[in-house]
Amino acid sequence: MLSTVRFSTATILYCLVSLGWSATVTYDFNITWVTSNPDGAYERSTIGINGQWPLPAIRATVGDQVVVNVMNQLGNETTSLHFHGIYQTDSPEMDGTTGVSQCAIPPGASLTYNFLVEQPGTYWYHSHAIGQYPDGLRGPFIVHDPASPFMDMYDEEIVLTLSDWYHESMAVLIPSFLSVANPTGAEPIPDAALLNDAQNITVSVEPGKTYMIRVINMGAFVGQYLWFEDHSMTIIEVDGIYTEPAVTEMLYLSVAQRYSVLLTTKNDTLSNFAFVGSMDQDMFDHVPPGLNPNATGWLVYNKSEELPSPAILGNFYPFDDFTLIPHDGEALLENVDHSILLNFMMGNLDNGANYGMFNDVTYVTPVVPTLYTVLSAGDAADDVAIYGSNTNAFILEKDEVVEIVLNSADTGKHPFHLHGHNFQVAARSAVDAGAYAGNVSLSQIPMRRDTFMVNPGGYVVLRFKANNPDKSRPIRNPDLRLLTYLYGFGYSTVTLNGIWTRALSPQ
């Protein structure tokens, strides 16, 4: 009698990865202008890839070599691609940050990004040039993990993106924002919220199944709440870090944050259920009349049943991501070698415009990208002065334990993102707690992620190990050099690059 043995795709992938097998995943991206109207209210020019928008997802498996061939055919704008959350170990020149790790790609020119992905999880890619990605140049980047500790807990995978959407282009909005006519630094209010770069989307589901939903906030400015009516979610990953499972009814995602959650469907097909992405209106200086802050989708169990209107919520109670516990149980990094104090504020410069600042310094893009300076300066690369007075540079030694205390004097919520690493969030204050005074207990098994929100008038204490140096530079001390960035999202916030600071300023 002939017997049949069946192996799942996950099992085969796990065996191949265990044996050291990996693939080269290649994408050819021709970046051009297209026309879109995702909210059905306004048709506008949008940055597409290969003549299409929304953009394709980049998908790879742990251990793969990712090759992205980029051709800039926008005609009137430079561009780049940053792979958000990918550490770029041994490949800092592939980070895609103009003015820091590369020059912008001019119109008519091309550039190949080629790097190894060794970290599983949910990421995204986007332009990192001239505030460009809100014009459409952003998409999911998914790294599958055959060895995931949660592999056997779900049946299928779904990618769900959240974003804010503007009818006007960044070429118009940024100059008006960074203007003497806007002395308070009021951010432009989005015209709509989107789910998967659309509205009123439907997601077909089957009863009695568990789905892993990868959620990404690809927006420009606004944090968003997310909930699925009459369904709970179990958090299992944030920003590429597996967590101990945590059940919640609602998420809050600041710009650039990602979650993977497990959602188990009901056992019947009697009804369909709404889910909602809702923009955080507390971040708006004012709420325009008629603005709909919500984008609605539906879990469709039965196509013949109605799509019910979502309930109107008066209050939001999202999960507190500070309470998450990393699945690997990594303890708080002790014996801090390098402490950095960053006081964040918004202020007006002599031109009357409002800028974000770290320690009273707002970023001015260097003529020569910082990485190029590192590679060409010889022994002088250890002198922070060569990176410019408006880059706020720090030199870190390899394997130092670094602590960043970030105090925010601003009245708004601000997410910050660390390039090249994730960080431990050892402490986060409540709203209006003031500056960190060192008088609170630090989390002993802190949550880790690469993007974290700082409350208005509050602080965070972050720790990470400086273990991702640029190994391409033949320097006197091969243990000395780190290229990493702490980036603040939104028009008015700041970037810290290696560690260098930046506020979005006219190019």
Side-chain angles (χ1 to χ4, degrees):
M1 181 178 178
L2 184 65
S3 61
T4 301
V5 179
R6 297 180 183 272
F7 296 95
S8 68
T9 301
T11 301
I12 295 171
L13 284 172
Y14 178 77
C15 292
L16 292 172
V17 170
S18 300
L19 292 171
W21 181 90
S22 61
T24 297
V25 182
T26 302
Y27 289 86
D28 296 319
F29 283 175
N30 182 23
I31 298 176
T32 63
W33 292 106
V34 299
T35 301
S36 72
N37 186 4
D39 64 348
Y42 188 82
E43 190 173 87
R44 58 157 292 184
S45 292
T46 306
I47 300 176
I49 287 177
N50 301 335
Q52 296 183 340
W53 192 89
L55 304 188
I58 295 175
R59 293 183 179 271
T61 299
V62 173
D64 284 351
Q65 193 77 20
V66 174
V67 178
V68 183
N69 300 308
V70 175
M71 168 61 75
N72 179 7
Q73 292 193 353
L74 292 173
N76 62 340
E77 291 189 4
T78 62
T79 194
S80 76
L81 284 186
H82 167 60
F83 307 94
H84 186 107
I86 301 298
Y87 304 147
Q88 298 295 356
T89 304
D90 297 339
S91 55
E93 72 279 9
M94 296 290 115
D95 196 56
T97 315
T98 59
V100 178
S101 62
Q102 69 166 80
C103 297
I105 307 170
S110 61
L111 179 67
T112 294
Y113 296 94
N114 188 338
F115 54 91
L116 181 68
V117 287
E118 300 178 289
Q119 52 190 110
T122 307
Y123 307 96
W124 59 304
Y125 66 93
H126 59 85
S127 168
H128 216 302
I130 58 174
Q132 184 181 66
Y133 82 78
D135 284 333
L137 188 45
R138 70 284 192 284
F141 189 138
I142 307 301
V143 183
H144 298 283
D145 183 11
S148 166
F150 303 103
M151 177 63 70
D152 296 330
M153 295 178 62
Y154 62 92
D155 302 292
E156 295 182 30
E157 215 177 272
I158 295 169
V159 175
L160 179 65
T161 66
L162 311 174
S163 57
D164 46 26
W165 186 248
Y166 292 87
H167 291 164
E168 195 56 87
S169 70
M170 293 301 106
V172 173
L173 289 176
I174 291 175
S176 65
F177 167 66
L178 292 171
S179 165
V180 66
N182 184 32
T184 64
E187 296 87 355
I189 307 301
D191 294 291
L194 302 179
L195 291 168
N196 285 352
D197 282 326
Q199 292 187 333
N200 301 317
I201 68 171
T202 57
V203 177
S204 296
V205 296
E206 297 179 28
K209 280 192 171 184
T210 297
Y211 295 83
M212 184 175 78
I213 305 176
R214 299 180 183 268
V215 189
I216 308 167
N217 186 343
M218 303 193 307
F221 166 47
V222 186
Q224 294 207 33
Y225 300 94
L226 174 70
W227 67 94
F228 294 81
E229 293 195 348
D230 209 20
H231 292 71
S232 61
M233 297 172 278
T234 301
I235 301 167
I236 59 170
E237 179 231 338
V238 290
D239 297 357
I241 303 298
Y242 291 125
T243 69
E244 290 297 305
V247 178
T248 184
E249 305 299 318
M250 180 180 291
L251 297 175
Y252 182 92
L253 292 90
S254 67
V255 167
Q257 287 186 328
R258 294 92 63 205
Y259 282 82
S260 286
V261 299
L262 301 180
L263 182 147
T264 300
T265 55
K266 299 183 179 301
N267 290 321
D268 60 66
T269 60
L270 299 177
S271 301
N272 301 317
F273 297 88
F275 59 91
V276 180
S278 183
M279 294 191 291
D280 181 359
Q281 297 180 78
D282 289 345
M283 298 182 69
F284 300 160
D285 278 39
H286 71 282
V287 179
L291 175 68
N292 179 7
N294 298 337
T296 303
W298 287 269
L299 297 176
V300 177
Y301 285 76
N302 188 333
K303 293 182 179 179
S304 64
E305 294 294 332
E306 68 171 348
L307 301 178
S309 298
I312 297 175
L313 300 186
N315 296 290
F316 300 93
Y317 301 100
F319 187 89
D320 181 0
D321 62 343
F322 181 73
T323 65
L324 288 169
I325 299 172
H327 187 267
D328 60 14
E330 180 182 281
L332 178 68
L333 294 170
E334 301 285 358
N335 303 316
V336 172
D337 301 301
H338 197 135
S339 296
I340 298 172
L341 175 64
L342 296 174
N343 293 315
F344 169 69
M345 63 172 290
M346 305 298 298
N348 295 84
L349 299 183
D350 291 342
N351 64 359
N354 191 267
Y355 294 83
M357 304 179 188
F358 275 146
N359 299 345
D360 296 322
V361 175
T362 194
Y363 182 83
V364 176
T365 304
V367 175
V368 177
T370 303
L371 180 60
Y372 297 1
T373 302
V374 170
L375 295 172
S376 61
D379 291 344
D382 299 342
D383 181 0
V384 296
I386 71 169
Y387 301 108
S389 59
N390 278 81
T391 58
N392 214 351
F394 298 83
I395 302 296
L396 307 178
E397 293 190 24
K398 184 178 180 294
D399 291 330
E400 280 188 325
V401 173
V402 182
E403 179 178 86
I404 299 175
V405 174
L406 198 161
N407 299 313
S408 176
D410 191 58
T411 57
K413 300 173 182 177
H414 289 281
F416 292 88
H417 165 56
L418 186 66
H419 288 225
H421 297 79
N422 60 61
F423 46 69
Q424 297 180 332
V425 186
R428 176 177 66 182
S429 77
V431 175
D432 293 330
Y436 177 64
N439 56 353
V440 299
S441 297
L442 301 181
S443 174
Q444 294 305 295
I445 306 180
M447 182 268 289
R448 299 198 312 278
R449 62 187 317 166
D450 62 47
T451 306
F452 198 72
M453 189 188 73
V454 183
N455 283 317
Y459 62 81
V460 291
V461 179
L462 311 174
R463 288 186 183 178
F464 69 97
K465 192 170 186 178
N467 57 4
N468 187 10
D470 169 23
K471 296 181 181 178
S472 64
R473 187 173 94 86
I475 57 176
R476 180 187 63 232
N477 177 0
D479 289 337
L480 179 66
R481 188 62 52 240
L482 178 77
L483 186 69
T484 187
Y485 330 94
L486 181 63
Y487 184 86
F489 281 85
Y491 298 107
S492 61
T493 51
V494 293
T495 300
L496 185 74
N497 303 324
I499 297 168
W500 297 276
T501 62
R502 173 177 189 259
L504 189 64
S505 55
Q507 300 295 311

